[in-house]
Amino acid sequence: LNALNNIGFLNKENDSYLLNEKSILLTENHPNSLKYACLNWSGEHLNAWQNLEYSIKTGASSFTKLYGENYFDYLNNHPDKLHQYHKAMYEYARDDYKELPNKIDLNGVTNVIDIGGGYGAAISSIKTFYPNLTCYLYDLEKVIDNCNLKDITTIKGNFFEEIPKVAEVLILSRILHDWDNEKAAIILKNCFDALPKNGIIYIIENCSDKITIDLSMLSLNMMALCESYERTSVEYIHMVTTAGFTFQSIVKLNELQSILKFKK
C-alpha cells in the first residue's frame, strides 16, 4: 500500500489509503472502468510478450507455442478468459465507437449486422442513433450467451463457416487485423455471400498510413498472439476488392481508426 502511494496510485490520509483519479478507473463499476483492459495485458498475454524472441525469429505466434492452440481457440476453451477478453474489448470500444453513427449513413437502411461484434458496443451505438433500424449481433455461442442487449437480435455462429443473410449492411470492426491473409479472405468471402446485390460492408481498422501514431508495437503484439499485423489502407482495400467488393470511400473514425466502405 505504501508503494502504491509512493507511485501516486493511492492517496494516504493518516492511517487510511484512498482511491484516487488513477486507481478508481480499475474498479468494476466506474463508468469509464479500465479494469478488464488492464487484466487483458497480464497473464497469458504477458507470457507471450516475454517469449517475443520466438515470434521475431520465426514469424509464428509465441502464444500458440506456449499454449498449444491459437489465441482465439484458447479463449473459447476458457470461458472466464473469454469473458475477460470481451469485457476488455468493450471498454476500448465504448470510446472508440461513440462517433460511429455520425460517420456512416444508414438512412434508408432496414437491417444491419455486426459481425464478430463481441458484447455489442458498436451495434448498440448504432441502435441508439437509429432507433428504427433492425440491428443484429453475430458472434460465437459462448460470446452471445454472455450478452445482455436490449432491442438487438443476437445470432450465434462462426464467421469462418457462414454469415447469416439477414441484412443489407455489414459491420466488420477490428476483425481482419486478428487474422493472416488466408483466414481474412475466408471471412470476406462469407461476408460477400451474405450480402445482397448493392449491399454495403463497413470495415473498421487501424490503417497505418492514415494516422501519425506508430503502430509498430501493436503489430508486434498481433504477431506474438495471432501471427497477424496492422495493415495499411492500401492492403485492406486490395484484400477486400480481391474478395469481390468495390471500394467506395474511407473516413477517419478517431485518431487511430478508419472506416472503409465497400459495395457488393
Side-chain angles (χ1 to χ4, degrees), residues 9-264:
F9 199 73
L10 290 177
N11 293 342
K12 184 177 182 181
E13 294 182 8
N14 299 320
D15 293 327
S16 297
Y17 297 87
L18 307 173
L19 296 175
N20 58 25
E21 68 277 2
K22 292 181 181 178
S23 49
I24 199 170
L25 292 175
L26 296 189
T27 57
E28 179 88 23
N29 296 319
H30 191 280
N32 296 315
S33 174
L34 294 173
K35 171 183 175 178
Y36 290 97
C38 287
L39 287 173
N40 186 59
W41 291 96
S42 63
E44 296 91 341
H45 208 129
L46 179 59
N47 290 342
W49 267 89
Q50 289 172 331
N51 287 270
L52 188 62
E53 177 186 14
Y54 171 80
S55 290
I56 292 172
K57 286 182 174 180
T58 66
S61 165
S62 59
F63 184 96
T64 300
K65 181 177 184 293
L66 287 170
Y67 295 99
E69 54 189 342
N70 75 50
Y71 182 59
F72 292 102
D73 284 344
Y74 178 85
L75 291 178
N76 206 36
N77 289 328
H78 296 80
D80 57 329
K81 302 291 184 181
L82 183 70
H83 178 63
Q84 180 177 302
Y85 169 80
H86 280 290
K87 288 283 284 186
M89 295 304 102
Y90 188 90
E91 288 173 357
Y92 288 127
R94 176 188 59 215
D95 296 323
D96 289 345
Y97 299 145
K98 61 185 177 183
E99 291 298 318
L100 178 60
N102 296 315
K103 299 288 185 175
I104 60 176
D105 183 8
L106 295 176
N107 290 302
V109 173
T110 304
N111 304 280
V112 61
I113 184 170
D114 187 2
I115 306 299
Y119 285 172
I123 199 68
S124 295
S125 179
I126 289 170
K127 181 65 176 179
T128 300
F129 196 85
Y130 293 94
N132 295 324
L133 188 65
T134 300
C135 293
Y136 299 89
L137 174 68
Y138 181 69
D139 214 312
L140 295 170
E141 179 179 358
K142 292 179 181 178
V143 177
I144 295 298
D145 284 345
N146 281 327
C147 283
N148 184 21
L149 299 173
K150 286 183 59 180
D151 303 323
I152 293 171
T153 301
T154 55
I155 305 176
K156 301 173 182 179
N158 187 329
F159 53 49
F160 285 115
E161 297 172 1
E162 65 175 349
I163 292 172
K165 300 176 181 179
V166 296
E168 66 265 37
V169 173
L170 271 64
I171 307 290
L172 196 67
S173 181
R174 303 291 287 140
I175 298 297
L176 296 179
H177 84 132
D178 287 331
W179 305 100
D180 61 24
N181 290 343
E182 181 180 347
K183 290 185 174 67
I186 296 172
I187 298 169
L188 289 169
K189 178 187 182 301
N190 290 338
C191 288
F192 188 87
D193 291 344
L195 277 173
K197 183 180 180 181
N198 297 319
I200 298 295
I201 182 170
Y202 289 102
I203 292 175
I204 303 171
E205 291 288 351
N206 298 337
C207 295
S208 59
D209 58 328
K210 295 297 182 181
I211 57 177
T212 59
I213 299 170
D214 188 342
L215 297 179
S216 301
M217 294 292 285
L218 192 52
S219 254
L220 278 178
N221 184 64
M222 300 312 299
M223 179 171 65
L225 265 70
C226 309
E227 295 183 17
S228 186
Y229 65 100
E230 298 296 336
R231 300 173 174 92
T232 65
S233 64
V234 175
E235 289 174 295
Y236 281 118
I237 291 168
H238 175 73
M239 180 188 295
V240 182
T241 54
T242 298
F245 291 96
T246 299
F247 174 67
Q248 292 204 308
S249 62
I250 182 170
V251 297
K252 292 287 292 294
L253 174 58
N254 49 51
E255 65 175 356
L256 195 62
Q257 296 161 346
S258 297
I259 307 171
L260 298 95
K261 180 181 179 182
F262 298 86
K263 185 176 183 179
K264 177 174 176 178

